[in-house]
Amino acid sequence: MGTVALLWRHEHPLPPRPGRRPTITLDAVVAAGIHEADEQGLHDFSLRRVAQRLGVGVMTLYGHVENRSQLVELMVDQCRLDMEWAPLTGPWAARLEQVADENLALLARHPWLAHVETERAVLGPGTLTKYERELGAVDPLPLDDVGKDQALALVLDFVRSSARALEAARAERTEETPEQWWAREGAELAALQVEERFPLAARVGQATGEATNAAADAAAAHVFGLAVLLDGLAARAGVSRERSAPA
Amino acid sequence: MGTVALLWRHEHPLPPRPGRRPTITLDAVVAAGIHEADEQGLHDFSLRRVAQRLGVGVMTLYGHVENRSQLVELMVDQCRLDMEWAPLTGPWAARLEQVADENLALLARHPWLAHVETERAVLGPGTLTKYERELGAVDPLPLDDVGKDQALALVLDFVRSSARALEAARAERTEETPEQWWAREGAELAALQVEERFPLAARVGQATGEATNAAADAAAAHVFGLAVLLDGLAARAGVSRERSAPA
DNA sequence: ACCTCTTTCCGTACGGCGTACGGACATTAA
DNA sequence: TTAATGTCCGTACGCCGTACGGAAAGAGGT
């Protein structure tokens, strides 16, 4: 079955057919895949593990899904379908902030989403619903349709980067502290007179490294970047950040 | 050998030692790796292929490099070391534009760089030189050191997203035209009355899809996004985009 | 010249991956 | 009961990264 047909499988539930009855549903495969990716990350995500989690053989999955990457696409759309939304309210900037927050929360819940490579659009119900909703945040801006799409993509790409930085900061704490890393590799670096040869880098690197909490830094960078983006959109669109959106 | 020692290997060339003479150098391994990744992409990049390109056995590589990911880190730093730089001139915004252009060119030459996952800083000579230079673009901004780092990271992350979009648009043309895709999957989508259920998405999606050239769209999005970022930085830093930088 | 020590090269092997093939099996329609 | 149909999944192939250990090659001492 084509990917589109599988994405929209709930639109046309197929009538019972002759032959052996399936022991697992595609929904169960997708759900197991999401759990597996949440726990193991996309790098260690494998069909064998998903099958094991479901208690079936690996090749059983191929009766429900064409291949690994199609399963990932289905997982992506499902995650978007499962988002919980409060209605967008307030001026456009507040709406865009809300959209950014929702996406950051989504990527915190499913960090692997920020690492999915298949940029080819996944035209499923979750993705379309999400896109429709988020266009509502940029719709008040006096931009043409292409510009609205670009403005939204700008914010979403930024959130993606933020999420990756936050995840990296989180992982850094669990697997190796900066002190351990420095004890291992830093001594050799110090012998290279970095301060003299790269004065700006040394100064700024020290400033960013001084804050004890890497995760807090990444969060601050997110707040800063989002403010810059909203200011920039306001300036470029020639509109105030506070102007409330039309109904 | 630790990664830092290998990154800075040209600082301390080691004296000749007894024993069999190496048939290949680490520089050759890194260069072969870069060529391989340029041609095959990071997904199909494998140590076996690199070894084949060099005419040696796979395990020979392990005499020069600890593992695959370390080789990728060395490749990343080498690419940054090989960048060609014209001096940064003009006001800060022009400098940042120049930095963005350089990075976009780098990622066009080596598309796999935009897909390297190891976000942990690669503290090699290429990375440090690049960081030092690029901080020179944001240095005139009235931000503290952490703010300068964040502003630079904001621009670089944006360029990374742009590069990925441009690469995807380029790949789309070589492997499958939108018409072919639509013929295969679009018919089913059309049957779902998307226009009525997702009016904004349908309208904007059609607008963005109408421009015949996907690559041109991605390029336009890059120009738009960079302008928004620079406007935003100017507004947030409370400074004009045209103010020239101090010497 | 020969032996020994050091270092590099790399064949073999292991466990894991995605997935093609085809037989075993369960279920329904005839 | 039989035939048809769809599902489950064991086996196998060719990839991958990489651990191990022996073969090969050069340098220094005798």
Side-chain angles (χ1 to χ4, degrees):
Chain A
M1 278 221 276
T3 304
V4 169
L6 292 185
L7 281 166
W8 296 87
R9 61 194 179 277
H10 292 121
E11 301 276 327
H12 300 293
L14 19 121
R17 296 185 298 171
R20 182 173 179 169
R21 214 83 60 61
T23 59
I24 55 174
T25 63
L26 176 51
D27 283 342
V29 175
V30 172
I34 291 172
H35 283 129
E36 191 65 26
D38 285 349
E39 292 175 13
Q40 307 290 339
L42 200 57
H43 185 75
D44 293 342
F45 170 85
S46 76
L47 296 183
R48 284 177 158 88
R49 295 179 87 110
V50 174
Q52 202 164 26
R53 177 180 285 263
L54 290 167
V56 302
V58 205
M59 293 313 293
T60 302
L61 300 184
Y62 284 86
H64 302 263
V65 148
E66 282 178 359
N67 49 45
R68 180 197 142 115
S69 72
Q70 188 184 62
L71 173 55
V72 173
E73 286 186 27
L74 294 173
M75 287 159 54
V76 168
D77 201 73
Q78 188 62 52
C79 287
R80 291 171 174 169
L81 207 50
D82 291 340
M83 289 176 79
E84 291 168 7
W85 291 316
L88 292 176
T89 58
W92 66 267
R95 294 186 180 202
L96 259 184
E97 271 188 34
Q98 187 178 336
V99 165
D101 285 349
E102 291 166 355
N103 276 275
L104 199 62
L106 173 69
L107 296 178
R109 206 193 313 272
H110 309 293
W112 52 274
L113 280 176
H115 301 273
V116 173
E117 296 269 353
T118 153
E119 300 292 350
R120 172 168 289 261
V122 181
L123 293 180
T127 303
L128 273 186
T129 303
K130 179 171 181 288
Y131 185 46
E132 178 78 14
R133 166 188 171 82
E134 292 172 346
L135 279 176
V138 291
D139 200 39
L141 283 171
L143 297 167
D144 60 16
D145 282 347
V146 175
K148 287 172 185 170
D149 178 72
Q150 290 173 347
L152 177 59
L154 191 58
V155 172
L156 295 186
D157 279 344
F158 166 73
V159 171
R160 190 183 171 104
S161 293
S162 283
R164 292 174 69 143
L166 282 163
E167 181 200 3
R170 205 179 313 121
E172 196 166 292
R173 193 136 11 133
T174 63
E175 64 182 42
E176 186 185 33
T177 70
E179 288 80 12
Q180 289 172 330
W181 184 88
W182 187 256
R184 190 163 45 75
E185 305 259 23
E188 312 184 50
L189 235 180
L192 295 163
Q193 292 144 349
V194 168
E195 299 83 7
E196 300 166 15
R197 297 165 57 188
F198 309 96
L200 264 182
R203 200 189 78 207
V204 173
Q206 184 176 351
T208 65
E210 245 166 23
T212 50
N213 194 339
D217 275 6
H222 173 74
V223 171
F224 171 81
L226 187 56
V228 168
L229 276 181
L230 295 180
D231 282 353
L233 284 172
R236 190 115 295 248
V239 86
S240 157
R241 281 188 54 170
E242 284 77 24
R243 202 184 78 170
S244 79
Chain B
M1 281 223 274
T3 304
V4 168
L6 292 184
L7 282 166
W8 297 86
R9 61 192 179 278
H10 292 120
E11 301 275 327
H12 300 296
L14 20 121
R17 297 186 297 173
R20 182 171 180 169
R21 215 81 61 61
T23 60
I24 56 173
T25 65
L26 176 52
D27 283 343
V29 175
V30 172
I34 291 173
H35 283 128
E36 192 64 27
D38 285 349
E39 292 175 13
Q40 307 291 338
L42 201 58
H43 185 73
D44 293 341
F45 171 84
S46 75
L47 295 184
R48 282 176 159 88
R49 295 179 88 111
V50 174
Q52 202 163 27
R53 177 182 285 264
L54 289 168
V56 302
V58 205
M59 292 314 291
T60 301
L61 300 184
Y62 283 86
H64 302 264
V65 148
E66 282 179 0
N67 50 44
R68 179 196 144 114
S69 73
Q70 187 184 62
L71 173 56
V72 173
E73 286 187 27
L74 294 174
M75 288 159 53
V76 168
D77 200 72
Q78 187 63 52
C79 287
R80 291 171 174 170
L81 206 50
D82 292 341
M83 289 176 79
E84 292 168 6
W85 291 317
L88 292 175
T89 58
W92 66 267
R95 294 186 180 203
L96 258 184
E97 273 187 31
Q98 188 178 336
V99 166
D101 286 349
E102 290 165 355
N103 276 275
L104 199 62
L106 173 69
L107 296 179
R109 206 194 312 272
H110 309 292
W112 53 273
L113 279 176
H115 301 274
V116 173
E117 296 270 351
T118 154
E119 299 291 352
R120 170 169 289 259
V122 180
L123 293 181
T127 304
L128 274 188
T129 303
K130 180 172 181 286
Y131 186 45
E132 178 77 14
R133 166 189 171 81
E134 291 171 347
L135 280 177
V138 292
D139 200 39
L141 284 170
L143 298 167
D144 61 13
D145 282 347
V146 175
K148 287 170 187 172
D149 180 73
Q150 290 174 346
L152 178 59
L154 190 59
V155 172
L156 295 186
D157 279 344
F158 166 73
V159 171
R160 192 184 170 103
S161 293
S162 283
R164 291 173 70 140
L166 282 162
E167 182 200 1
R170 204 179 315 122
E172 196 167 291
R173 192 139 8 130
T174 65
E175 66 180 41
E176 187 184 35
T177 70
E179 288 79 11
Q180 289 172 331
W181 184 89
W182 187 255
R184 191 166 41 76
E185 305 263 21
E188 311 182 52
L189 234 181
L192 295 163
Q193 293 145 346
V194 169
E195 298 83 6
E196 300 167 15
R197 296 164 58 188
F198 309 96
L200 262 183
R203 200 189 76 205
V204 174
Q206 184 175 354
T208 67
E210 248 166 19
T212 50
N213 194 340
D217 275 7
H222 173 74
V223 171
F224 171 81
L226 187 56
V228 167
L229 276 182
L230 294 180
D231 282 354
L233 284 173
R236 190 114 298 248
V239 87
S240 157
R241 280 189 52 170
E242 284 77 22
R243 200 183 78 170
S244 80

